């Protein structure tokens, strides 16, 4: 009967499965990664600020456009959940889904963190990754993913029936509320899907479920960015520690993470300009 579910495998099933995949976005028109420029920008750096994010907490930080900043492993293996906003307009924030679609499930040197519609422009460019050696392991796991959302108290309540207040979502909410001197409710409306820094994740081969495994990060490892626009950031040290066991509780061993902000040499940014907002007219056909 028309409209009924079809579950029987068709005779041409093998043919249907064997069609070649098509990459969704041809990215050859994206601004290329100018390694020469970014290497020049990151040479002769002067550290101007340093923030330590305690275990199971979050802290905010600001980075002026044209500056370099790092998320650094300090004492032990620790995963961090990162939110980014335009420092002058919180409605422009990191768009993990589009970043994933334009680049990959896991990001590294040369990839950009893109902002939400309608601006859709690079917020930050990854300029160095001390974990780029990891690649993808036999389980399909890689480091620095833009596929997970963030641990949150609502999912924890749904799955466990208990309240836990140091999930990354809550940590980020408290940090932004304090930074902007707004209510928790107002701050929470700006918390968004994250870049899972140092986290090792993938999808299982059999059930295709999102998995995590112990991060390979070591003290001294860092992920480095170039701020393409003035940034407000918030970083949470995940209660899962290295995310090798579980999260959303106090069982895992957790460590602090560092944020370091650097000013490039005066002549390193000659002729550089922050990226403009997306050129689409916004007419939507009307």
């Amino acid at each position: 009967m028309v409209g009924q579910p079809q579950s029987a495998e068709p005779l041409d099933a093998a043919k249907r499965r064997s069609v070649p995949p098509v990459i969704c976005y041809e990215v050859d028109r994206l601004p290329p990664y100018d390694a020469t420029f970014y290497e020049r920008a990151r040479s002769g750096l002067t550290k101007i600020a340093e923030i330590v994010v305690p275990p199971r907490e979050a802290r905010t930080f600001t980075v002026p456009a044209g500056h370099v900043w790092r998320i650094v492993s300090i004492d032990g293996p620790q995963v961090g959940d990162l939110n980014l906003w335009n420092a002058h307009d919180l409605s422009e924030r990191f768009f993990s889904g589009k970043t994933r679609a334009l680049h990959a499930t896991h990001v590294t040197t040369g990839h950009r963190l893109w902002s939400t519609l309608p601006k859709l422009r690079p917020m930050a460019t990854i300029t160095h990754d001390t974990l780029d050696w990891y690649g993808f392991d036999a389980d399909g796991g890689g480091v620095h993913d833009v596929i997970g959302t963030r641990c949150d108290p609502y999912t924890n309540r749904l799955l466990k029936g208990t309240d836990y207040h140091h999930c990354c979502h809550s940590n980020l909410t408290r940090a932004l509320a304090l930074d902007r001197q707004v209510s928790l409710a107002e701050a929470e409306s700006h918390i968004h899907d994250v870049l899972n820094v140092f986290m090792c994740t993938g999808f299982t081969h059999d059930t295709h479920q999102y998995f995590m495994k112990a991060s390979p990060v070591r003290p001294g490892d860092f992920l480095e960015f170039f701020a393409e626009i003035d940034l407000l950031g918030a970083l949470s040290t995940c209660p899962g520690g290295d995310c090798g066991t579980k999260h959303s509780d106090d069982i895992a061993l957790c460590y602090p993470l560092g944020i370091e902000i650097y000013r490039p040499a005066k002549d390193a940014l000659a002729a550089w300009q922050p990226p403009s907002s997306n050129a689409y007219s916004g007419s939507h056909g009307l």
Side-chain angles (χ1 to χ4, degrees):
M1 182 181 296
V2 175
Q4 292 296 313
Q6 296 181 350
S7 58
E9 185 173 285
L11 295 177
D12 63 348
K15 178 181 178 180
R16 291 175 181 273
R17 292 191 180 103
S18 66
V19 297
V22 177
I23 299 298
C24 292
Y25 291 100
E26 297 291 341
V27 296
D28 55 299
R29 293 190 63 183
L30 289 181
Y33 177 69
D34 187 345
T36 300
F37 165 75
Y38 289 111
E39 283 302 312
R40 184 170 69 246
R42 63 189 303 267
S43 63
L45 296 172
T46 301
K47 185 187 292 187
I48 61 171
E50 187 171 8
I51 301 99
V52 174
V53 186
R56 295 186 175 87
E57 288 292 346
R59 294 290 186 270
T60 56
F61 58 97
T62 56
V63 188
H67 284 56
V68 172
W69 53 287
R70 296 173 179 171
I71 298 174
V72 185
S73 172
I74 300 176
D75 297 327
Q78 176 65 46
V79 163
D81 282 36
L82 177 68
N83 268 190
L84 288 178
W85 300 267
N86 178 333
H88 311 292
D89 177 8
L90 295 187
S91 70
E92 183 180 9
R93 62 195 192 189
F94 172 50
F95 193 173
S96 68
K98 191 62 70 178
T99 298
R100 178 174 65 248
L102 291 175
H103 295 302
T105 58
H106 299 73
V107 292
T108 188
T109 304
H111 290 154
R112 295 179 170 91
L113 306 187
W114 293 82
S115 71
T116 45
L117 309 179
K119 297 294 181 64
L120 191 61
R121 57 178 171 172
M123 302 182 80
T125 298
I126 300 177
T127 50
H128 197 74
D129 176 11
T130 64
L131 290 173
D132 60 1
W133 57 267
Y134 192 87
F136 287 89
D137 59 36
D139 295 314
V143 185
H144 314 311
D145 84 74
V146 283
I147 48 179
T149 53
R150 59 202 176 277
C151 57
D152 70 87
Y154 303 99
T155 303
N156 185 73
R157 182 72 176 179
L158 177 69
L159 299 178
K160 298 180 181 179
T162 59
D163 290 341
Y164 183 71
H165 305 301
H166 287 271
C167 296
C168 288
H169 178 89
S170 297
N171 295 345
L172 294 167
T173 298
R174 291 193 308 274
L176 184 62
L178 180 63
D179 182 275
R180 290 297 159 119
Q181 292 294 291
V182 297
S183 69
L184 287 173
E186 182 176 346
E188 187 173 19
S189 68
H190 295 290
I191 303 304
H192 51 279
D193 286 351
V194 299
L195 168 60
N196 283 308
V197 180
F198 304 142
M199 193 171 183
C200 187
T201 60
F203 294 99
T204 60
H205 296 308
D206 50 359
T207 61
H208 304 286
Q209 289 175 284
Y210 181 57
F211 72 77
M212 62 185 189
K213 61 192 297 184
S215 173
V217 67
R218 307 148 297 182
D221 278 326
F222 62 89
L223 187 62
E224 182 186 272
F225 308 82
F226 179 86
E228 301 286 355
I229 63 174
D230 290 340
L231 294 173
L232 170 66
L235 180 69
S236 169
T237 48
C238 182
D242 69 359
C243 289
T245 51
K246 56 191 307 188
H247 56 60
S248 301
D249 57 37
D250 292 329
I251 293 175
L253 185 61
C254 292
Y255 297 92
L257 288 173
I259 301 163
E260 299 175 351
I261 302 169
Y262 296 85
R263 183 179 60 247
K266 183 179 296 186
D267 59 349
L269 304 182
W272 174 81
Q273 293 290 329
S276 300
S277 299
N278 190 271
Y280 177 62
S281 66
S283 64
H284 302 291
L286 294 180

